[in-house]
């Protein structure tokens, strides 16, 4: 009986390196925290990931004064310091949810002209106005030198009362050429300068016409075509956001060379529109856009013309929402109220911002929980969140907004520790001096740890 000979060696040139298959890294992270509380500014009820204190400051700003205690000491929101402490102790990633009251308001942000652009010996651009994008619009000279534009703040809160906009209209003369047949047209270089949605001013005799650059491939020309003697100027705007505080004014955002009109298509568009750098007019929050301004419903900024010697009177800086308020006796900023009657905060905090955050009172249930999700049992809440996740636009308020972030391991609500506050001032814009209200007879004691064990039964003798 024969047996098969089995070769147990290695063939020449063959190398065997046994290795285990790679293991998928599906470990659950336990170091991602979420913080819910009061912030100076930023999106509301929208969890924003941050990975260092600088990212937090970019989106949510700095410290926020809330009230004044019985000793005259300002009480600040605990959220900013809690986030800073998290990263100082080795934290690497966190979600932040800003909450405001139901009565929170979004303040308008005024603008002003910082320079006038002379167009000829008699006329200059003296301002901008919100208008509707159209194929052609005649500009009528005017001596009105009011605010050039008024936008909305990117998010609710009294912080916007210290924000203004500067707009500088930049014009570039476009070259015209005349061919052998006498036909007038833009030069090739000028055509490359003009992008879809650009505003172009054309002077013809004593009349100024405004054109909106058509989509790429279409010819740009005024009614009746270009004529001898026409002067064309391409208009764009530089927007600067300025913030006032501590007696100084600083630029916090700058956007240069922005188109004044909206492009109908993104194909062939090389420049940015002024609407492209602002937060969307309705809903949503985009991290790579302005942290201070929200776009209006209007489609375009329309230049306003006036006499070259017209005086432009800019809005005062900062602009106070309540003209009757006395900044020297300012009460508190960002919608909350002092605890002690008669206590004041120095500028730049202003009574004009009272109630802008809707924080007239500290109601933990209304501020930190979603009213549509409270009162559920564990099973009911799980079902409600599953329905919310399947919605076209899933959205929840306060702490419940964190439930839509699966990588969060721990949730902190640092502003729950505050003692309740009450109104010191009753806002009346028609009154020179704001009346005061008496505080409650007895303030609740400071929050502390309480024994959670049930009380001992009485001893029966």
């Amino acid at each position: 009986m024969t047996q098969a000979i089995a070769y147990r060696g290695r063939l020449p040139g063959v190398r065997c390196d046994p290795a285990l298959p790679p293991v998928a890294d599906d470990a659950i992270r336990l170091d991602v925290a979420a913080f819910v509380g009061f912030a100076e500014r930023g999106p509301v009820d929208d969890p924003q990931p941050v990975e260092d204190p600088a990212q937090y400051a970019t989106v949510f700003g700095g410290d926020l004064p809330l009230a004044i205690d019985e000793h005259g000491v300002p009480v600040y929101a605990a959220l900013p310091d809690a986030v800073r402490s998290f990263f100082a102790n080795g934290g690497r990633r966190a979600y932040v949810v800003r909450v405001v009251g139901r009565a929170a308001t979004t303040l308008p942000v005024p603008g002003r002209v910082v320079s006038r652009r002379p167009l000829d010996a008699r006329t200059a651009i003296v301002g901008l106005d919100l208008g509707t994008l159209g194929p052609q619009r005649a500009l009528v000279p005017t001596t009105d030198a009011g605010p050039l534009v008024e936008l909305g703040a990117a998010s609710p809160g009294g912080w916007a009362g210290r924000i203004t906009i500067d707009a500088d209209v930049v014009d570039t003369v476009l070259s015209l050429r005349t061919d052998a047949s006498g036909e007038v047209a833009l030069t090739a270089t000028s055509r490359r300068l003009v992008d879809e949605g650009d505003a172009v001013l054309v002077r013809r005799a004593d009349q100024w016409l405004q054109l909106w650059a058509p989509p790429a491939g279409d010819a740009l020309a005024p009614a009746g075509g270009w004529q001898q003697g026409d002067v064309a100027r391409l208009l764009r705007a530089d927007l600067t956001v300025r913030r006032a505080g501590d007696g100084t004014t600083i630029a916090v955002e700058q956007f240069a060379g922005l188109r004044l009109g909206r492009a109908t298509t993104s194909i062939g568009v090389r420049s940015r529109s002024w609407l492209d750098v602002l937060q969307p007019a309705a809903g949503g929050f985009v991290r790579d856009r302005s942290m201070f301004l929200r776009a209006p419903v209007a489609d375009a900024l329309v230049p306003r013309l006036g006499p070259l010697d017209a005086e432009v009177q800019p809005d005062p800086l900062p602009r106070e929402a309540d003209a009757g308020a006395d900044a020297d006796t300012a009460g508190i900023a960002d919608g909350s109220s002092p605890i002690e009657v008669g206590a004041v905060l120095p500028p730049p905090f202003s009574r004009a911002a009272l109630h802008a955050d809707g924080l007239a009172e500290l109601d933990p249930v209304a501020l930190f929980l979603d009213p549509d999700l409270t009162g559920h049992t564990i099973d009911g809440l799980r079902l409600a969140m599953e329905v919310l996740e399947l919605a076209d636009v899933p959205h929840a308020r306060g702490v419940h907004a964190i439930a839509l972030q699966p990588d969060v391991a721990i949730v902190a609500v640092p502003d729950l520790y505050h003692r309740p506050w009450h109104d010191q001032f009753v806002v009346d814009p028609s009154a020179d001096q704001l009346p005061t209200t008496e505080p409650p007879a007895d303030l609740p004691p400071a929050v502390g740890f309480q024994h959670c064990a049930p009380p001992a039964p009485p001893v029966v003798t």
Side-chain angles (χ1 to χ4, degrees), residues 24-37:
D25 185 12
D26 56 355
I28 299 177
R29 292 189 62 174
L30 298 178
D31 61 338
V32 179
F35 295 89
V36 182

Side-chain angles (χ1 to χ4, degrees), residues 11 97 101 111 143 173 227 237 284 300 318 341 387:
L11 296 176
V97 179
T143 57
V173 177
Q227 301 178 9
V341 172
V387 173

Side-chain angles (χ1 to χ4, degrees), residues 164-401:
T164 59
I165 315 163
D166 292 341
D168 187 4
V169 180
V170 180
D171 66 297
T172 304
V173 177
L174 300 177
S175 302
L176 299 174
R177 63 174 178 81
T178 305
D179 57 17
S181 62
E183 182 179 356
V184 182
L186 288 174
T187 63
T189 302
S190 295
R191 287 199 304 268
R192 285 194 294 268
L193 290 177
V194 180
D195 206 352
E196 178 184 353
D198 273 323
V200 178
L201 281 184
V202 180
R203 189 189 68 181
R204 178 169 293 174
D206 291 335
Q207 185 181 14
W208 285 96
L209 301 176
Q210 178 175 325
L211 308 178
W212 293 105
D218 296 344
L220 172 67
W226 295 103
Q227 301 178 9
Q228 292 284 353
D230 286 349
V231 177
R233 292 174 180 261
L234 169 65
L235 301 182
R236 289 186 178 175
D238 296 340
L239 295 183
T240 303
V241 184
R242 299 187 183 276
R243 176 170 185 169
D246 298 329
T248 61
T249 303
I250 60 173
V252 291
E253 285 184 340
Q254 292 180 323
F255 306 100
L258 304 178
R259 298 192 318 269
L260 300 181
R262 183 191 294 271
T264 58
T265 175
S266 60
I267 300 177
V269 176
R270 302 175 302 274
S271 58
R272 292 189 303 173
S273 166
W274 72 284
L275 293 175
D276 294 336
V277 300
L278 307 181
Q279 294 295 329
F285 182 80
V286 184
R287 289 284 290 264
D288 59 356
R289 294 194 179 189
S290 171
M291 297 293 161
F292 297 88
L293 300 177
R294 184 169 295 275
V297 179
D299 292 324
L301 289 177
V302 179
R304 297 209 324 259
L305 303 183
L308 183 59
D309 58 352
E311 292 294 333
V312 178
Q313 299 295 332
D315 278 358
L317 185 66
R319 175 181 182 269
E320 297 292 351
D322 179 9
D326 184 0
D328 293 335
T329 59
I332 197 68
D334 296 289
S336 44
S337 305
I339 293 177
E340 178 76 6
V341 172
V344 296
L345 282 180
F349 307 138
S350 170
R351 287 189 320 210
L354 277 172
H355 294 240
D357 281 15
L359 301 178
E361 60 180 355
L362 181 63
D363 185 349
V365 175
L367 288 173
F368 299 114
L369 300 180
D370 192 318
D372 297 331
L373 299 175
T374 56
H376 281 295
T377 62
I378 295 178
D379 294 334
L381 180 60
R382 183 183 299 111
L383 178 61
M385 296 308 300
E386 290 177 356
V387 173
L388 185 63
E389 291 177 353
L390 297 176
D392 294 335
V393 184
H395 185 71
R397 297 184 64 240
V399 174
H400 290 100

Side-chain angles (χ1 to χ4, degrees), residues 430-452:
S430 62
D432 293 335
Q433 297 293 331
L434 299 179
T436 60
T437 57
E438 292 295 332
D442 52 344
L443 292 176
V447 176
F449 291 101
Q450 304 294 329
H451 200 313
C452 60

Side-chain angles (χ1 to χ4, degrees), residues 27-126:
I28 299 177
R29 292 189 62 174
L30 298 178
D31 61 338
V32 179
F35 295 89
V36 182
F38 307 137
E40 179 188 21
R41 53 179 170 84
V44 176
D45 298 320
D46 187 359
Q48 294 293 315
V50 295
E51 297 184 350
D52 54 56
Q55 287 188 6
Y56 174 88
T58 299
V59 179
F60 295 100
D63 293 324
L64 172 65
L66 292 174
I68 298 177
D69 65 14
E70 60 271 22
H71 305 292
V73 178
V75 177
Y76 287 83
L79 176 65
D81 195 40
V83 174
R84 287 191 292 263
S85 299
F86 171 76
F87 290 112
N89 284 276
R92 299 173 58 185
R93 183 177 177 85
Y95 286 88
V96 178
V97 179
R98 180 194 177 202
V99 296
V100 297
R102 295 288 186 91
T105 58
T106 301
L107 300 179
V109 180
R112 63 181 183 177
V113 175
V114 294
S115 66
R116 293 177 294 116
R117 294 289 177 174
L119 302 176
D120 55 29
R122 297 170 299 171
T123 310
I125 299 175
V126 297

